[in-house]
Amino acid sequence: MSQADATQAAPPKREKLFTADGTPLRKALERANRRRKLTALALVGPLLAFILIFFAFPIAQMMWRSVDNPQIVNALPRTLQALDTWDGQGVPNEAVFAALHADMIEDLDRPRREQTIGPLGIRLNYELSAARSAISRTSRAVQNFDAPYSDAFMDAHRLWGQPELWRIIKREGRPLTLSYYIAATDREYDEAGNIVKRPENRQIYVSLFGRTLALSLAITFMTFALGFPIAYFLANMPMRYANLLMIAVLLPFWTSLLVRTSAWIVLLQQQGVINELLVNIGLISDGNRISMIYNQTGTIIAMTHILLPFMVLPLYSVMRTIPVSYTRAAKSLGATPWTAFRRVYFPQTLPGIGAGGVLVFIISIGYYITPALVGGQSGRMISNEIARHIQQSLNWGLAAALGTMLLVGVLVLYWLYNRLVGADSLKFG
Amino acid sequence: MSSTTKLFGLSAAVSVLALSAAAQDPVSLTIVSWGGAYTTSQQRAYHEPFMEANPHVTINNDDGSANALAGLRAQSQAGNVTWDLVDMLPSDAQLACDEGIIMQIDHDEMLAAAPDGTPASEDFLPGSLGECFIPQIVYSTILTVRPGAFPDDAQPETIMDLFDVENFPGRRALQDRPGTNLEWALYADGVDPDDIYDVLSTPEGVDRAFAKLDTIKDHIIFWTEGAQAPQLLADGEVAFATGYNGRMFEAIEVEGMDARIVYDGQIVEWDGWVVPADGPNLDVVMDYLYFATDTQRLADQAKYIPYGPARASSAALVGDHADLGIDMNQHMPTAPENYFAPIILDNDFWVDYGDELRERFANWMLQ
């Protein structure tokens, strides 16, 4: 309205405003804005590039790996074509075996680094035990095979006579696969190609996800229960004492993770400091030492200690900014100390609790060194399985599927948190 | 004509000079191994003598063997191979070989013959050579007991005793993977060592092994890293621990831990070298391999750690421990008095069935 007034009030001939050198003001303003935007971009540029190269790109690559499935397509193009007409029942006909023979012979002539039969065997073994040795044993003998090839193959390894191996080759002979996700949810294909639950004694990942969630929640709650009083105590202290005591929170924070974990082992094990003390003062008998480590208790205790600073620091920084006068005012209006705390003080700490809780929860859901060392069999988390698949079994596809599920799970939980509490209320300092 | 010859001669002389200078350029090798007493034994038996003979070579140790397969694959896919030589288990070597990320080995061409002229392929212990794998030692996974946990007249002597919680109470430290545990469960259940893998490749056999493990489940602490097993014994946390015989020797003989090795049912396996494909210093690596796997050098390693040399011709040269002066022969897993009931680890079996059994084992641990 006012702008319209201004233009109307101006003399009709001077419709535009000009700068001293005669450029229209609007243009000059745009140019200045553009320059400022470019400067801003140049300033955040390095960080943006850093995040893209070292964070976004690897994560995208990891997620890609969970569906990428090149091994069978690369190794057996002719076989897959010949399998097109196979109905999935019984052993395929001679034409398929001839195609397989041709594929394997061709592979032998490639330079070793480009051979596809080795990776094929490793890939098939994820779906069917002993498939790797079927492939490698056959590949060593394939040069001497004569027609009819089906007999030669079945002589070389029993698995060639099993329809299951062929069904897997046909099913997984596509550049993309869902099989890693199917395995990551404790499922598998049955004979008819339906996705069904695995036999009970091979189901692990779903219950491990559940346990990881439960342990992380327990740890988050423990850090809150222990951290809240500490932060309150520190925040309501004269600054110079608070700073001094803050060292008690920060010193463990700066100590190596492995040192702290080992210290807990020394303290908590059955022949450890705490059990020894309890036995010596006669609280428990020598034969009834408490198992506090190599189980879930160990994981919760050690991780609570390790993650405590991540709860205390945001809480402390929020509590520092809460004026004491509010509580005093409440009390002067007749509130009991408990009511004043509950209705006036505590609600103001919620942004700190939210920040600390989200921080601790998300860190603990992906933790793996501490659970691996003190968790025993019942205190292991999903990250231990992911690490095992990356480092030992080398099933990177399955590790990527599990990792993606973990990532998406965290994002969903964060989204829920945002809907329920509001992420804008998070305060880290 | 003559000037051309001169020129040719001159340039040849220059290139010879350049070549000899290149041969003496400082080279730094990164050798990946298992760390601890084992790397020390390699440092003293192989690395130091080799560096002395080749002053331009420096050898750096990297303790990354536990995850060497993942490292090799990552380096190969990134196209930036920084490891020169890797100490690896044969099952991992087989997988790496299948993937084409390590070099194939022509054993007779690349390795020294025995002093009596026997070619390498015949001198290395039967079955130990792999397509891409050069064996170095024979080690075993053994049971170790803490004598103080039991009365003097009723000490555990067999793998059956590991599974007998009534007569031998106390907790047991086992490795957190199916390998060795399933073999021992079947062995303790009465399966003949030679038949173990046949039984284990049937579903009934696997069930049988897990049923046997169930009987001691409430008494198990699982260990992950090789160093944890002797630590748990030394702390008095467990009465039994499984572990690698070299680490247990180190803890008992060198550090004075009160424990005793039970050789019954020892699980015997090789360990050795693989060469990453496309490594930067292949020539020097080949020199090193020729040197470090000859008869004398393999026997030398046994001065520092009780792992048996993988060459038949080295056996006679095994002597006393370099620092302790004790005879190493009696501490070798392959010494006749220790080798009475060995189970030879079947790497093909574990390459084939490992994925499935690891899942089953993880499920069993979670229950």
Side-chain angles (χ1 to χ4, degrees), chain A residues 112-113 129 132-133 203, chain B residues 98 102 278 351-352 356 363:
Chain A
R112 223 178 79 78
R113 291 296 303 279
S129 286
R132 192 206 67 92
S133 71
Q203 296 176 7
Chain B
D98 284 348
I102 54 176
D278 304 330
V351 171
D352 272 350
E356 183 184 337
N363 171 282

Side-chain angles (χ1 to χ4, degrees), chain A residues 65 112-113 115 117-119 122 125-126 128-134 136-137 140 157-158 183 198-205 207-208 211 265 268-272 291 293-294 372-373 376-378 380 385 388-398, chain B residues 66-71 73-74 76-77 92 94-104 131-132 146 171 176 201 207 217 220-222 224-225 228 232 235-237 277-278 347-348 351-367:
Chain A
R65 221 177 251 284
R112 223 178 79 78
R113 291 296 303 279
Q115 285 181 5
I117 289 298
I122 294 169
N125 212 65
Y126 296 150
L128 181 65
S129 286
R132 192 206 67 92
S133 71
S136 66
R137 220 167 285 171
R140 252 171 247 145
H157 201 281
R158 65 181 167 86
R198 277 198 169 162
E200 205 150 307
N201 59 31
R202 280 187 70 190
Q203 296 176 7
I204 39 178
Y205 303 113
S207 58
L208 214 47
R211 172 193 292 179
I265 296 178
L268 296 180
Q269 59 188 1
Q270 288 206 331
Q271 306 294 323
S291 312
I293 206 164
Y294 307 122
L373 287 175
Q377 63 234 61
S378 61
R380 294 165 74 87
E385 264 322 282
R388 193 174 64 70
H389 282 304
I390 288 179
Q391 297 174 335
Q392 258 111 47
S393 76
L394 234 58
N395 190 343
W396 287 0
L398 183 52
Chain B
N67 300 319
L69 195 50
R73 191 202 259 183
S76 169
Q77 290 190 359
D92 286 352
Q94 189 57 56
L95 286 173
C97 196
D98 284 348
E99 288 201 20
I101 55 181
I102 54 176
M103 275 179 54
Q104 275 176 312
E131 221 181 321
C132 301
R146 193 160 52 83
R171 295 200 288 178
D176 66 345
S201 51
D207 288 343
K217 189 168 180 189
I220 300 176
I221 292 179
F222 287 98
T224 315
E225 304 291 335
Q228 281 176 293
L232 285 165
D235 287 348
E237 281 292 289
D278 304 330
N347 282 300
D348 283 340
V351 171
D352 272 350
Y353 291 90
D355 293 327
E356 183 184 337
L357 288 178
R358 270 189 290 267
E359 268 169 0
R360 174 94 187 251
F361 195 79
N363 171 282
W364 178 78
M365 290 207 301
L366 288 175
Q367 298 304 312

